[in-house]
Amino acid sequence: MTVTLSGGGVTVTLPLAGDTARTQGYARWRVENRPRREPLTVYEGQDGLTLTIPCLLDRAPNGSVEPEITRLERLATPKKAGEEPPIVTVTGPVP
């Protein structure tokens, strides 16, 4: 199985090395302790979505993984100073 990441004119397809997982992006709660009373649980909102995608970078014995690493870095880096990185679309077996 593979996963494809694309954004900002950059596309990289990598073989998966395990299961993808949603590791953040759930409800965020805070517990307030109150003197001589039960604690109060307060909803504070939702964290941004974070996916963990284990990928295999392997071009042994004669290749280099540097082109894939460069493309992955470009997905996480703004094209110009002061701009935001591109929005990344993930295609494949993700939650």
Side-chain angles (χ1 to χ4, degrees), residues 46-60:
Q46 189 170 349
D47 292 328
L49 175 64
T50 300
L51 294 176
T52 299
I53 305 172
C55 296
L56 180 64
L57 298 174
D58 184 13
R59 296 288 182 256

PDB file of all heavy atoms in Angstrom, residues 46-60:
ATOM      1  N   GLN A  46     -11.257  22.116  20.185  1.00  0.00           N
ATOM      2  CA  GLN A  46     -10.683  20.949  19.517  1.00  0.00           C
ATOM      3  C   GLN A  46      -9.315  21.310  18.971  1.00  0.00           C
ATOM      4  O   GLN A  46      -9.122  22.373  18.386  1.00  0.00           O
ATOM      5  CB  GLN A  46     -11.605  20.514  18.374  1.00  0.00           C
ATOM      6  CG  GLN A  46     -11.233  19.217  17.753  1.00  0.00           C
ATOM      7  CD  GLN A  46     -12.308  18.718  16.811  1.00  0.00           C
ATOM      8  OE1 GLN A  46     -13.422  19.250  16.777  1.00  0.00           O
ATOM      9  NE2 GLN A  46     -12.005  17.701  16.055  1.00  0.00           N
ATOM     10  N   ASP A  47      -8.338  20.418  19.169  1.00  0.00           N
ATOM     11  CA  ASP A  47      -7.001  20.618  18.628  1.00  0.00           C
ATOM     12  C   ASP A  47      -7.004  20.386  17.126  1.00  0.00           C
ATOM     13  O   ASP A  47      -7.890  19.724  16.583  1.00  0.00           O
ATOM     14  CB  ASP A  47      -6.007  19.644  19.281  1.00  0.00           C
ATOM     15  CG  ASP A  47      -5.786  19.949  20.755  1.00  0.00           C
ATOM     16  OD1 ASP A  47      -5.856  21.131  21.120  1.00  0.00           O
ATOM     17  OD2 ASP A  47      -5.541  19.008  21.518  1.00  0.00           O
ATOM     18  N   GLY A  48      -6.010  20.908  16.447  1.00  0.00           N
ATOM     19  CA  GLY A  48      -5.866  20.684  15.013  1.00  0.00           C
ATOM     20  C   GLY A  48      -5.609  19.214  14.718  1.00  0.00           C
ATOM     21  O   GLY A  48      -5.025  18.485  15.527  1.00  0.00           O
ATOM     22  N   LEU A  49      -6.030  18.779  13.551  1.00  0.00           N
ATOM     23  CA  LEU A  49      -5.879  17.384  13.146  1.00  0.00           C
ATOM     24  C   LEU A  49      -4.408  17.064  12.885  1.00  0.00           C
ATOM     25  O   LEU A  49      -3.718  17.800  12.188  1.00  0.00           O
ATOM     26  CB  LEU A  49      -6.693  17.118  11.882  1.00  0.00           C
ATOM     27  CG  LEU A  49      -6.561  15.736  11.260  1.00  0.00           C
ATOM     28  CD1 LEU A  49      -7.083  14.672  12.207  1.00  0.00           C
ATOM     29  CD2 LEU A  49      -7.307  15.684   9.949  1.00  0.00           C
ATOM     30  N   THR A  50      -3.931  15.977  13.435  1.00  0.00           N
ATOM     31  CA  THR A  50      -2.579  15.479  13.192  1.00  0.00           C
ATOM     32  C   THR A  50      -2.666  14.009  12.838  1.00  0.00           C
ATOM     33  O   THR A  50      -3.274  13.224  13.557  1.00  0.00           O
ATOM     34  CB  THR A  50      -1.691  15.641  14.442  1.00  0.00           C
ATOM     35  OG1 THR A  50      -1.624  17.024  14.781  1.00  0.00           O
ATOM     36  CG2 THR A  50      -0.287  15.126  14.193  1.00  0.00           C
ATOM     37  N   LEU A  51      -2.070  13.648  11.708  1.00  0.00           N
ATOM     38  CA  LEU A  51      -1.991  12.252  11.286  1.00  0.00           C
ATOM     39  C   LEU A  51      -0.555  11.782  11.408  1.00  0.00           C
ATOM     40  O   LEU A  51       0.372  12.508  11.053  1.00  0.00           O
ATOM     41  CB  LEU A  51      -2.425  12.088   9.834  1.00  0.00           C
ATOM     42  CG  LEU A  51      -3.870  12.370   9.483  1.00  0.00           C
ATOM     43  CD1 LEU A  51      -4.082  12.236   7.983  1.00  0.00           C
ATOM     44  CD2 LEU A  51      -4.792  11.428  10.215  1.00  0.00           C
ATOM     45  N   THR A  52      -0.377  10.572  11.886  1.00  0.00           N
ATOM     46  CA  THR A  52       0.936   9.929  11.879  1.00  0.00           C
ATOM     47  C   THR A  52       0.910   8.913  10.750  1.00  0.00           C
ATOM     48  O   THR A  52       0.080   8.007  10.734  1.00  0.00           O
ATOM     49  CB  THR A  52       1.225   9.239  13.229  1.00  0.00           C
ATOM     50  OG1 THR A  52       1.209  10.243  14.251  1.00  0.00           O
ATOM     51  CG2 THR A  52       2.561   8.538  13.207  1.00  0.00           C
ATOM     52  N   ILE A  53       1.821   9.106   9.780  1.00  0.00           N
ATOM     53  CA  ILE A  53       1.860   8.259   8.589  1.00  0.00           C
ATOM     54  C   ILE A  53       3.247   7.634   8.491  1.00  0.00           C
ATOM     55  O   ILE A  53       4.196   8.284   8.053  1.00  0.00           O
ATOM     56  CB  ILE A  53       1.546   9.077   7.321  1.00  0.00           C
ATOM     57  CG1 ILE A  53       0.201   9.796   7.472  1.00  0.00           C
ATOM     58  CG2 ILE A  53       1.563   8.177   6.094  1.00  0.00           C
ATOM     59  CD1 ILE A  53      -0.108  10.770   6.362  1.00  0.00           C
ATOM     60  N   PRO A  54       3.398   6.380   8.928  1.00  0.00           N
ATOM     61  CA  PRO A  54       4.718   5.739   8.844  1.00  0.00           C
ATOM     62  C   PRO A  54       5.026   5.343   7.396  1.00  0.00           C
ATOM     63  O   PRO A  54       4.290   4.565   6.792  1.00  0.00           O
ATOM     64  CB  PRO A  54       4.577   4.510   9.741  1.00  0.00           C
ATOM     65  CG  PRO A  54       3.120   4.206   9.746  1.00  0.00           C
ATOM     66  CD  PRO A  54       2.407   5.510   9.532  1.00  0.00           C
ATOM     67  N   CYS A  55       6.058   5.928   6.837  1.00  0.00           N
ATOM     68  CA  CYS A  55       6.433   5.668   5.444  1.00  0.00           C
ATOM     69  C   CYS A  55       7.819   5.038   5.382  1.00  0.00           C
ATOM     70  O   CYS A  55       8.651   5.252   6.248  1.00  0.00           O
ATOM     71  CB  CYS A  55       6.444   6.970   4.649  1.00  0.00           C
ATOM     72  SG  CYS A  55       4.838   7.725   4.523  1.00  0.00           S
ATOM     73  N   LEU A  56       8.036   4.291   4.316  1.00  0.00           N
ATOM     74  CA  LEU A  56       9.313   3.624   4.113  1.00  0.00           C
ATOM     75  C   LEU A  56      10.094   4.361   3.038  1.00  0.00           C
ATOM     76  O   LEU A  56       9.633   4.496   1.911  1.00  0.00           O
ATOM     77  CB  LEU A  56       9.077   2.170   3.695  1.00  0.00           C
ATOM     78  CG  LEU A  56      10.310   1.333   3.430  1.00  0.00           C
ATOM     79  CD1 LEU A  56      11.124   1.171   4.699  1.00  0.00           C
ATOM     80  CD2 LEU A  56       9.907  -0.016   2.869  1.00  0.00           C
ATOM     81  N   LEU A  57      11.260   4.860   3.398  1.00  0.00           N
ATOM     82  CA  LEU A  57      12.170   5.494   2.444  1.00  0.00           C
ATOM     83  C   LEU A  57      13.338   4.540   2.247  1.00  0.00           C
ATOM     84  O   LEU A  57      14.206   4.422   3.105  1.00  0.00           O
ATOM     85  CB  LEU A  57      12.666   6.845   2.965  1.00  0.00           C
ATOM     86  CG  LEU A  57      11.608   7.906   3.207  1.00  0.00           C
ATOM     87  CD1 LEU A  57      12.219   9.132   3.859  1.00  0.00           C
ATOM     88  CD2 LEU A  57      10.922   8.292   1.929  1.00  0.00           C
ATOM     89  N   ASP A  58      13.347   3.861   1.108  1.00  0.00           N
ATOM     90  CA  ASP A  58      14.383   2.859   0.868  1.00  0.00           C
ATOM     91  C   ASP A  58      14.682   2.776  -0.620  1.00  0.00           C
ATOM     92  O   ASP A  58      13.809   2.460  -1.415  1.00  0.00           O
ATOM     93  CB  ASP A  58      13.925   1.497   1.399  1.00  0.00           C
ATOM     94  CG  ASP A  58      14.991   0.425   1.259  1.00  0.00           C
ATOM     95  OD1 ASP A  58      16.161   0.767   0.990  1.00  0.00           O
ATOM     96  OD2 ASP A  58      14.649  -0.752   1.427  1.00  0.00           O
ATOM     97  N   ARG A  59      15.894   3.052  -0.999  1.00  0.00           N
ATOM     98  CA  ARG A  59      16.329   2.939  -2.386  1.00  0.00           C
ATOM     99  C   ARG A  59      17.596   2.083  -2.476  1.00  0.00           C
ATOM    100  O   ARG A  59      18.382   2.225  -3.386  1.00  0.00           O
ATOM    101  CB  ARG A  59      16.605   4.322  -2.994  1.00  0.00           C
ATOM    102  CG  ARG A  59      15.387   5.206  -3.096  1.00  0.00           C
ATOM    103  CD  ARG A  59      14.461   4.722  -4.188  1.00  0.00           C
ATOM    104  NE  ARG A  59      13.312   5.592  -4.327  1.00  0.00           N
ATOM    105  CZ  ARG A  59      12.105   5.291  -3.874  1.00  0.00           C
ATOM    106  NH1 ARG A  59      11.888   4.171  -3.239  1.00  0.00           N
ATOM    107  NH2 ARG A  59      11.100   6.118  -4.062  1.00  0.00           N
ATOM    108  N   ALA A  60      17.795   1.217  -1.488  1.00  0.00           N
ATOM    109  CA  ALA A  60      18.993   0.375  -1.437  1.00  0.00           C
ATOM    110  C   ALA A  60      18.989  -0.598  -2.603  1.00  0.00           C
ATOM    111  O   ALA A  60      17.930  -1.008  -3.057  1.00  0.00           O
ATOM    112  CB  ALA A  60      19.049  -0.376  -0.109  1.00  0.00           C
TER     113      ALA A  60
END
